[in-house]
Amino acid sequence: MCGIYGITAVPNTNIVPWGMAGIRRLEYRGYDSAGFALQNSAELTIIRSVGDINALRDAVSGHTLVSSVGIWHTRWATHGAPSERNTHPHTGCDTRFAVVHNGTIENHDALRRVLTAAGHRFTSETDTEVVAHLLEMEYRGNLAEAMRAAIHQIEGTFALVAITADEPGVIVASRRSSPLAIGILPDARLIASDAAAMAIHTREVVHLEDYDIATLSPTSHMIVDAGAVTRMRPSQAIELEAESAEFGGFPHRMLFEINEQPAALSNSLRGRIIAREGHVRFGGLAAVEKQLSAIEDLTVVGCGTAYHAALIGAMYIEAYAGLSATAVLASEYEYRRTSSRRNSAMLAISQSGETMDTLLAIKGGKDRGILTLGIVNRVGSAIARLTDAGIYNHIGPETSVASTKAFVSQVTLLALLAIHLGRQRDLIRTDAERMLEAVLRLPDKITTALAQSDHVRAVAEQFGWMQSCLFIGRGYQYPVALEGALKLKEVSYAHAEGYSAGEMKHGPLALVDDRFPTIAIAVRDSRRKKMVANIQEIKARRGPVIAIANPDDSEIASLADATITVPEDDEFLMPVLTAIPLQLFAYWMGVSRGINVDKPRNLAKSVTTE
Ligand code: M6R
């Protein structure tokens, strides 16, 4: 969701191919239009197009574009439809200033009225354009000063990067809540909304803090903080996860990432389990172990799939650590009065580490003075840096919009965290040993679950007619039902709802007829009997049922219209295994409907605005 990439290099370096390659590295975030601005004359050159980077490349084919300074942007439409005039970079009344922006300017309407009254003419529907006009209005020969004056008038979140025709070689940037990092090379400075996008050129980056104003020139950069004090922000080395080979021979990233799960999970677990001692080791939590042992309650936050993992994690922590644990949607956290006692803590779950709602929830937790922890995949991401301590997933980049391997890793790491917190309290060693042995067997069991892929495909084709369906489960399988429904919606555009099976008689049963399928997760756990009763009540109303069950469960198989099996395991690990066929079901349903499963419409991989 929106990406920024900028370069200023020593004169006679042509950065245009460099910038085009850089912005491609931000494609994974999702976008609907792209553009760039180059500085090389009294006016800037602005090129913008709707569609993907290939459309942008086609828009410039036939032109000779050469420059040593430029800023690029991929836009995910929020204010105004995807159109050329709404695409960034935006300019003021003429093309002396160009700005790109990630985030949301909440008071843009009011600013637009003031600027219009002062004679400024607007050409787009975006909130960003006000910034270009503010720069134009505030400019007195120093872009950094104009940026300072502009950001003081803006409410909302932003990562802003600007250039002007009047200051050759200079890029100015500022941020609030939206990440920005400077990349350092001997004869160039880069700026990007995702440090990893610069990694092919440099591993040395400086992360900007809120309200910093950074002035970049080819061989130096200067950062002035909110209090107008010049800061030497330390540079950091980008830790890069090894890029997985693209698609690994699979037709889509989503299928590749689903099939990668046994290996990805092994990477998550590596070095963290000492089963024979009933012990879990998280290096990233070492500094806060004492605080962890004193925690009395935990709020687990996340969005989408990460929230579903949080729901399961809260159950684990209640069950095995005996703590009070509540899962809260990150976007709802500010409306909640969850505990902020001295021994309260928050745990944020995020694959990307950039989700704005989750970042804001963590900031809310910090304002309440509680310990903040994270389970994050993206090394060095905004959430990883903001939390007091945390656990990395170490599953490599997840690039398909639909989250799959992150969920499996998040749930398993939450189980390990619950065991770890439990061992600090009352969980007895032999129980922990048994549970950890089971965790170590999970990657192989996932491999067995994946072997059902062709059968799942056949079931998806059998039910290809469906427009709407329910997913039901109980206990740990209730969040999996929510996750199955989310996956199906995202990649097949079928309407789907996840429900606790216990809720059926309280309303959803009214939907059931012979054209309304239910996917029932009915594995051999302590809730199986009640799930059988739920399936029976659906069948009594002629509702088609797809059961997710364990092998050789003839009772379920005889009731259901189709059965997909997953290996049996300890009840607490079953949500990891039942998630696999639901991911495959969504994938095959989406493929059979001709949908671009890796980039479903209207969605972005990283949701970096509220
Ligand atoms: O990067 P995050 O884990 O913070 O992302 C959270 C959600 O945006 C994400 O899980 C989203 O729901 C996925 N598209 C689900 O497949």
Side-chain angles (χ1 to χ4, degrees):
M1 181 174 282
C2 294
I4 292 176
Y5 200 87
I7 310 162
T8 174
V10 290
N12 301 323
T13 314
N14 183 15
I15 51 90
V16 176
W18 192 350
M20 293 298 284
I23 200 67
R24 271 191 194 281
R25 297 192 71 79
L26 296 170
E27 275 194 298
Y28 75 91
R29 302 158 72 99
Y31 64 104
D32 42 45
S33 53
F36 61 94
L38 303 176
Q39 183 196 60
N40 45 22
S41 61
E43 290 209 326
L44 307 175
T45 305
I46 315 278
I47 311 277
R48 308 184 294 195
S49 73
V50 176
D52 63 10
I53 307 285
N54 293 332
L56 187 65
R57 187 200 55 205
D58 295 346
V60 296
S61 71
H63 299 260
T64 314
L65 292 172
V66 178
S67 176
S68 57
V69 183
I71 54 177
W72 274 255
H73 190 262
T74 45
R75 172 175 187 254
W76 192 80
T78 53
H79 297 76
S83 64
E84 204 235 297
R85 70 195 176 97
N86 287 337
T87 302
H88 302 212
H90 286 287
T91 60
C93 294
D94 57 31
T95 46
R96 272 193 321 128
F97 297 89
V99 64
V100 293
H101 166 223
N102 286 358
T104 310
I105 294 168
E106 286 161 7
N107 59 337
H108 73 104
D109 273 337
L111 288 170
R112 189 181 273 247
R113 277 196 296 277
V114 171
L115 287 158
T116 305
H120 287 261
R121 296 177 318 282
F122 283 78
T123 55
S124 79
E125 300 151 274
T126 64
D127 54 342
T128 305
E129 193 184 345
V130 297
V131 183
H133 289 278
L134 283 174
L135 292 175
E136 199 170 57
M137 186 173 80
E138 300 291 352
Y139 190 69
R140 314 269 183 279
N142 183 323
L143 186 58
E145 286 309 316
M147 180 68 89
R148 177 174 303 286
I151 65 168
H152 279 129
Q153 297 170 59
I154 294 170
E155 290 165 18
T157 57
F158 55 83
L160 290 165
V161 176
I163 54 175
T164 171
D166 292 355
E167 292 181 48
V170 172
I171 294 180
V172 167
S174 186
R175 58 155 278 187
R176 179 176 173 237
S177 292
S178 228
L180 269 183
I182 300 171
I184 300 173
L185 281 89
D187 48 10
R189 288 293 182 276
L190 312 181
I191 185 135
S193 51
D194 180 344
M198 302 185 284
I200 46 167
H201 298 297
T202 180
R203 296 288 166 96
E204 191 183 359
V205 301
V206 175
H207 292 281
L208 295 189
E209 303 284 329
D210 277 357
Y211 296 108
D212 278 353
I213 309 267
T215 306
L216 281 63
S217 30
T219 54
S220 66
H221 62 270
M222 184 172 79
I223 298 172
V224 178
D225 73 7
V229 176
T230 304
R231 291 281 174 199
M232 290 298 297
R233 299 245 181 262
S235 64
Q236 293 172 14
I238 314 174
E239 281 183 47
L240 257 200
E241 300 116 341
E243 292 272 347
S244 312
E246 265 226 324
F247 291 51
F250 290 95
H252 297 100
R253 287 170 197 207
M254 183 178 175
L255 191 60
F256 171 47
E257 286 164 6
I258 290 172
N259 278 280
E260 234 193 325
Q261 291 179 109
L265 187 61
S266 300
N267 288 337
S268 285
L269 301 180
R270 186 159 300 119
R272 288 174 160 163
I273 295 180
I274 304 150
R276 63 183 184 286
E277 293 173 21
H279 184 63
V280 177
R281 184 170 47 204
F282 286 125
L285 298 183
V288 294
E289 285 299 350
K290 207 162 161 217
Q291 283 161 282
L292 289 182
S293 62
I295 287 175
E296 288 168 16
D297 61 77
L298 186 68
T299 305
V300 195
V301 296
C303 303
T305 291
Y307 169 67
H308 299 153
L311 285 166
I312 298 172
M315 291 187 216
Y316 287 153
I317 287 158
E318 269 174 7
Y320 301 116
L323 298 181
S324 148
T326 316
V328 175
L329 280 166
S331 55
E332 292 288 320
Y333 181 74
E334 64 174 311
Y335 316 122
R336 297 286 296 269
R337 287 286 156 260
T338 50
S339 174
S340 53
R341 290 177 301 179
R342 201 161 59 84
N343 291 340
S344 301
M346 168 191 275
L347 171 63
I349 319 279
S350 176
Q351 185 285 130
S352 63
E354 283 191 19
T355 303
M356 181 58 69
D357 289 311
T358 312
L359 267 169
L360 293 177
I362 299 165
K363 286 187 176 171
K366 285 189 167 275
D367 289 344
R368 294 179 198 186
I370 63 175
L371 177 72
T372 58
L373 309 168
I375 294 184
V376 173
N377 188 35
R378 192 110 204 192
V379 175
S381 57
I383 293 176
R385 286 182 284 115
L386 186 63
T387 42
D388 297 314
I391 301 168
Y392 279 122
N393 294 91
H394 294 312
I395 54 170
E398 185 184 69
T399 55
S400 173
V401 165
S403 189
T404 53
K405 62 178 179 172
F407 177 78
V408 155
S409 167
Q410 286 158 352
V411 172
T412 312
L413 289 176
L414 282 159
L416 292 190
L417 179 64
I419 295 169
H420 182 60
L421 295 173
R423 290 290 290 130
Q424 288 178 330
R425 293 165 176 80
D426 298 331
L427 183 65
I428 57 172
R429 178 174 160 167
T430 47
D431 285 348
E433 280 171 19
R434 183 189 47 75
M435 292 167 81
L436 293 173
E437 295 287 0
V439 171
L440 287 169
R441 287 191 296 269
L442 257 185
D444 285 346
K445 295 211 172 181
I446 295 174
T447 305
T448 308
L450 286 168
Q452 292 284 306
S453 185
D454 286 345
H455 175 57
V456 179
R457 179 184 195 162
V459 175
E461 283 168 4
Q462 182 188 342
F463 285 83
W465 49 267
M466 78 180 189
Q467 297 299 325
S468 191
C469 69
L470 274 187
F471 286 74
I472 57 170
R474 287 171 182 262
Y476 293 132
Q477 301 300 341
Y478 162 46
V480 180
L482 296 177
E483 175 61 8
L486 174 66
K487 267 326 60 110
L488 191 69
K489 277 186 270 221
E490 271 186 301
V491 305
S492 80
Y493 308 160
H495 172 246
E497 296 293 334
Y499 261 95
S500 159
E503 280 290 291
M504 285 303 279
K505 287 198 253 323
H506 299 286
L509 204 51
L511 294 168
V512 170
D513 64 16
D514 61 353
R515 301 294 292 167
F516 187 83
T518 300
I519 294 94
I521 311 170
V523 288
R524 278 193 196 97
D525 61 14
S526 56
R527 282 89 179 175
R528 181 182 166 285
K529 237 182 171 161
K530 289 189 178 177
M531 286 305 301
V532 170
N534 283 121
I535 294 173
Q536 282 164 335
E537 70 197 8
I538 293 164
K539 288 311 303 171
R541 287 153 185 86
R542 296 181 299 119
V545 170
I546 302 170
I548 310 296
N550 291 128
D552 307 319
D553 192 331
S554 53
E555 184 182 17
I556 302 256
S558 66
L559 285 171
D561 299 85
T563 305
I564 300 166
T565 59
V566 289
E568 218 166 323
D569 209 331
D570 280 30
E571 183 159 337
F572 82 110
L573 293 179
M574 283 311 294
V576 173
L577 295 170
T578 51
I580 309 292
L582 301 189
Q583 296 167 349
L584 287 167
F585 184 70
Y587 171 79
W588 288 119
M589 191 64 91
V591 168
S592 72
R593 293 178 177 201
I595 286 162
N596 180 352
V597 290
D598 286 338
K599 287 185 185 167
R601 67 186 177 201
N602 307 335
L603 298 179
K605 182 61 183 163
S606 296
V607 184
T608 52
T609 54
E610 275 183 276

